[in-house]
Amino acid sequence: MSEEAMRVSMENEAPVDILLVDDRPENLLALEAILEPTGQRLVRASSGEEALRKLLTHDFAVILLDVQMPGLNGFETAELIKSRERTRFIPIIFLTAISKEEEYIFRGYSVGAVDYLFKPFQPDILRSKVMVFVDLYMKQRRLQEQEHRLRDAERRELELRHMHELLQSERRYSEVVNSAMDAILTFDHEGKVSLFNAAAERMFRMAAGEVMGKPIETLFPRDMSAEIVQRMCEHGIANRKEHSGLDSERSAHVAEFIAQRSNGDGFPIEASVSCMEAGDERTYTLIVRDVSERNRVAEALRKQAVSLEATTAELTSLNDELNARQEELERAMTARSRFYASMSHELRTPINAVLGYSTLLLEQIYGPLNEKQEEGIRRTHKAAKHLLELVNDVLDLSKIEAGKIDLRLQPVAFPSIVDDLFVTVRPLADQYGSELTLQHSGEPVRIVSDPRRLRQILLNLLSNAIKFGKGEPINVNVTGLPGGGVRIEVSDKGEGILAEDQQRIFEEFVQLGKSQLTEGTGLGLPISRRLAEMLCGTLTVTSNPGEGSVFRLELPASAEPVRPPRPTSENEIIQPASDERSVARRDAVMPGAKELEHAHVADNSIPTGLASSD
């Protein structure tokens, strides 16, 4: 570095301390002469011990340390300097005239030296090396100063931010107070009002300027009200003293008394007082709420409660009467169901006898019949058959209403059960000229259900489709459902059903006009829907007039019984599926066999309703 650059550096920066350590005064004097142009403060030390003492009181930018010294030599002094936290980062330049061996040089660098110079050395080189560390020290000092200034700036910015937040908090407080729905008043220990918000102006119908500085008692002119305010203030002080660790403490005491508006009218209020002390000053805050409307509503509610109590007593009386009538109705329905069951049981025996004997007469077991006799017996047979269907349907309906139909769940395979039913209804289909077709694709579908009740539902749907299908083909489509259930659709090409009648056909004893349904008991479809619901399924219809109807039965993979199974009574004998199938096949080959079967099992009260129509 040139002398001109050194002078510029000295003018711009405050001088730094440089430590010169040598046991020979003439060497120290020579070093001072070489480094004097740098303009820095040169501090002498004639031994390693003195150098360590100087380091306790000075901050040095660089240390020029002689190696060969009595007592502590340069290496030992450097090790002690580097062992101290405060001085370990000060750069050290070793100066020596005799220790030029590599091991000395290596030791010098190993103890922390940044350079190792041999005497005699070039003054310019020494000054340049020293000024490098001086410049580094100055830059570090400038960085520290900048860091201090930055911290001061941050502190001032933080103070300004806190002041700004305080001002914003005060503004928000003012906005909250002025926008509060309740009246807020503050007054000092002498009772002079210092704050009167907008809600207070509306409540007391006074401007803030009219109240500020006046005694708080002017707002509560009644002696009792003023006394209540005084007691509330005393309560607030006592509550604050109990919590002396806090600057302020709100009182939880709430009182109701009378306040007065500017026109002299009194009105009920609810108020609470809190007390705050700042030094010797004491400030009270009174929060007031007008409870006129609340009192009015409370009075109205009280009157309503009285009226409700009277109404409740009347409803209790009516409910007791309704319960009594309900019990009477239940007894009547029970009696009706018993009557239906008893009469159905008693009626089926003579009806089956009529069917049996009329069948025998028609088969000329007792001798030949003329044409009129045969026609009369056929009409008698048809009427008895219709009457038996009605009795069976009434018995089924009464059992469903009484909850006495039990389900016998077992695996049921589709479409094989439909194939078996085709055998039963084939004679009826041939009579009406209808062709029966079955559609199913894929593997057979198996569900857990009651096969006897399924046959009852499907036989009713098939017989209705045949009777009212106008001789057109009857199609049954069996489809497996994603959840493991099954869907059975029975389609016909009959006259169809009007939209307004599609729900009515599932009501008891409802029969449509002769154009759609010409005969039946009006119980087949209602019973079928109730049985489908008992099997956790659904029975619906889709129909368009003139295009036919589609009855859709959907059943789940497993049907849960409505109630736990009960033992079969002596008067309820449920034949296995094989018996019903054999009866159905016998009916197909020998007309009149079904009537004889009814006559045979009449005493066992078997509800059939297989071919009842609506």
Side-chain angles (χ1 to χ4, degrees):
M1 179 181 290
S2 65
E3 294 183 359
E4 181 65 26
M6 293 181 184
R7 285 195 295 272
V8 173
S9 176
M10 289 187 294
E11 292 176 358
N12 295 335
E13 295 286 348
V16 300
D17 294 335
I18 300 174
L19 181 60
L20 309 176
V21 185
D22 200 310
D23 61 317
R24 299 176 65 86
E26 61 271 19
N27 290 340
L28 293 174
L29 185 60
L31 289 174
E32 288 179 347
I34 294 172
L35 298 176
E36 184 179 1
T38 63
Q40 310 304 321
R41 287 191 296 269
L42 304 176
V43 181
R44 285 186 176 194
S46 58
S47 65
E49 292 84 353
E50 186 179 359
L52 294 176
R53 287 194 296 271
K54 296 290 185 181
L55 287 168
L56 295 176
T57 58
H58 293 74
D59 291 328
F60 295 101
V62 63
I63 300 174
L64 277 66
L65 183 59
D66 184 28
V67 175
Q68 298 293 333
M69 293 188 299
L72 287 175
N73 60 27
F75 296 141
E76 295 171 343
T77 304
E79 289 177 350
L80 292 174
I81 292 173
K82 293 299 181 179
S83 65
R84 296 177 180 177
E85 185 66 28
R86 183 171 178 268
T87 60
R88 62 186 302 181
F89 297 108
I90 300 176
I92 299 175
I93 299 176
F94 278 121
L95 304 176
T96 184
I98 60 173
S99 302
K100 297 183 179 181
E101 291 82 358
E102 290 184 357
E103 59 176 322
Y104 286 99
I105 297 173
F106 175 75
R107 185 180 178 187
Y109 284 113
S110 65
V111 296
V114 297
D115 206 345
Y116 201 98
L117 299 179
F118 298 100
K119 301 176 183 179
F121 36 74
Q122 292 292 330
D124 291 337
I125 295 176
L126 179 60
R127 279 193 298 269
S128 297
K129 291 187 176 184
V130 169
M131 286 308 298
V132 168
F133 296 107
V134 170
D135 289 340
L136 181 62
Y137 182 83
M138 289 180 175
K139 289 179 180 178
Q140 184 178 3
R141 188 170 62 183
R142 286 196 297 270
L143 287 175
Q144 291 177 352
E145 292 175 355
Q146 290 177 0
E147 183 179 358
H148 289 314
R149 288 195 296 270
L150 181 61
R151 289 180 180 178
D152 291 339
E154 290 177 350
R155 179 178 54 80
R156 289 192 297 271
E157 184 181 358
L158 185 60
E159 291 176 352
L160 291 175
R161 187 184 302 116
H162 287 170
M163 186 177 298
H164 179 68
E165 291 176 355
L166 181 60
L167 293 175
Q168 285 186 336
S169 177
E170 291 178 353
R171 283 197 296 269
R172 285 195 297 268
Y173 171 76
S174 178
E175 291 175 358
V176 170
V177 169
N178 289 325
S179 61
M181 298 298 294
D182 293 335
I184 301 177
L185 301 82
T186 61
F187 53 94
D188 56 18
H189 64 282
E190 295 180 354
K192 294 183 179 179
V193 178
S194 58
L195 175 65
F196 199 75
N197 70 340
E201 291 180 343
R202 294 191 298 269
M203 184 180 298
F204 290 91
R205 298 175 186 174
M206 298 180 183
E210 301 176 7
V211 184
M212 300 292 286
K214 293 184 178 181
I216 190 70
E217 288 80 6
T218 57
L219 302 174
F220 311 104
R222 299 187 181 184
D223 295 339
M224 182 61 68
S225 298
E227 182 180 351
I228 292 175
V229 174
Q230 182 63 31
R231 287 202 304 268
M232 292 173 66
C233 294
E234 294 174 355
H235 180 80
I237 296 173
N239 197 15
R240 179 188 56 79
K241 290 181 179 179
E242 292 178 1
H243 300 80
S244 57
L246 302 176
D247 293 336
S248 64
E249 178 67 24
R250 287 195 179 92
S251 171
H253 180 66
V254 178
E256 291 190 16
F257 48 97
I258 302 299
Q260 181 173 290
R261 294 190 172 94
S262 59
N263 57 4
D265 294 339
F267 62 98
I269 64 169
E270 183 181 77
S272 62
V273 170
S274 62
C275 178
M276 183 181 68
E277 280 191 2
D280 296 334
E281 296 183 359
R282 182 180 296 166
T283 304
Y284 300 94
T285 301
L286 182 66
I287 300 178
V288 181
R289 177 174 297 175
D290 187 350
V291 295
S292 302
E293 181 65 18
R294 189 181 72 181
N295 292 348
R296 186 191 64 80
V297 172
E299 179 63 21
L301 288 176
R302 188 190 63 80
K303 293 180 179 178
Q304 288 181 1
V306 174
S307 176
L308 183 61
E309 184 178 359
T311 304
T312 302
E314 183 179 355
L315 287 176
T316 302
S317 176
L318 292 176
N319 189 47
D320 294 340
E321 183 179 353
L322 182 61
N323 289 336
R325 293 185 178 181
Q326 179 70 19
E327 292 176 358
E328 294 179 0
L329 180 60
E330 291 177 355
R331 287 194 295 269
M333 292 180 65
T334 302
R336 187 196 67 175
S337 298
R338 291 177 178 175
F339 172 77
Y340 283 166
S342 175
M343 292 305 296
S344 298
H345 177 75
E346 296 298 331
L347 288 174
R348 283 196 302 181
T349 299
I351 293 174
N352 283 326
V354 172
L355 288 173
Y357 284 113
S358 61
T359 301
L360 294 175
L361 289 173
L362 290 174
E363 293 177 356
Q364 299 184 3
I365 299 298
Y366 298 109
L369 300 173
N370 58 37
E371 182 177 352
K372 288 187 178 181
Q373 289 173 338
E374 184 175 355
E375 177 66 21
I377 293 175
R378 288 189 182 278
R379 290 183 178 180
T380 302
H381 183 275
K382 184 176 181 181
K385 182 179 178 182
H386 179 69
L387 181 59
L388 180 60
E389 292 175 356
L390 177 60
V391 171
N392 289 334
D393 288 346
V394 170
L395 181 59
D396 275 350
L397 182 62
S398 64
K399 284 193 173 185
I400 292 174
E401 290 181 349
K404 293 184 178 180
I405 288 187
D406 295 328
L407 300 180
R408 300 293 185 265
L409 301 182
Q410 55 184 296
V412 181
F414 286 89
S416 60
I417 188 174
V418 180
D419 282 332
D420 293 341
L421 292 176
F422 275 6
V423 175
T424 302
V425 299
R426 186 79 63 187
L428 184 63
D430 294 341
Q431 178 183 347
Y432 282 84
S434 297
E435 180 183 358
L436 300 177
T437 59
L438 174 62
Q439 292 181 351
H440 175 71
S441 59
E443 296 294 327
V445 180
R446 297 182 68 85
I447 66 172
V448 176
S449 190
D450 189 332
R452 181 169 180 263
R453 299 304 174 183
L454 278 179
R455 288 187 180 89
Q456 184 173 349
I457 298 172
L458 294 174
L459 279 175
N460 182 75
L461 297 180
L462 288 171
S463 63
N464 284 344
I466 293 171
K467 291 179 181 179
F468 312 118
K470 300 170 61 175
E472 298 293 332
I474 307 300
N475 180 60
V476 179
N477 187 12
V478 178
T479 307
L481 297 178
V486 66
R487 179 190 297 119
I488 306 100
E489 294 180 338
V490 180
S491 306
D492 65 66
K493 303 294 183 180
E495 296 181 1
I497 305 172
L498 297 175
E500 57 269 21
D501 294 331
Q502 291 179 14
Q503 290 303 319
R504 294 181 60 242
I505 61 174
F506 292 103
E507 298 175 4
E508 291 84 355
F509 300 105
V510 172
Q511 292 179 280
L512 303 183
K514 292 184 178 181
S515 61
Q516 295 187 27
L517 302 177
T518 57
E519 61 180 2
T521 64
L523 292 175
L525 286 177
I527 292 174
S528 297
R529 170 170 279 189
R530 293 196 183 188
L531 290 176
E533 292 172 352
M534 291 179 64
L535 297 175
C536 302
T538 59
L539 178 60
T540 57
V541 63
T542 302
S543 180
N544 292 317
E547 299 180 4
S549 304
V550 178
F551 284 85
R552 185 175 297 104
L553 174 64
E554 292 189 2
L555 299 169
S558 177
E560 294 294 335
V562 176
R563 56 171 57 100
R566 59 182 176 84
T568 304
S569 64
E570 295 181 358
N571 293 328
E572 284 191 9
I573 300 176
I574 300 178
Q575 294 183 352
S578 58
D579 294 344
E580 292 185 358
R581 191 176 304 171
S582 62
V583 172
R585 289 173 179 164
R586 188 175 61 193
D587 289 342
V589 298
M590 187 181 71
K594 182 184 291 186
E595 287 77 8
L596 291 176
E597 179 71 9
H598 281 310
H600 178 68
V601 299
D603 293 338
N604 294 325
S605 302
I606 299 177
T608 57
L610 297 180
S612 61
S613 58
D614 295 359

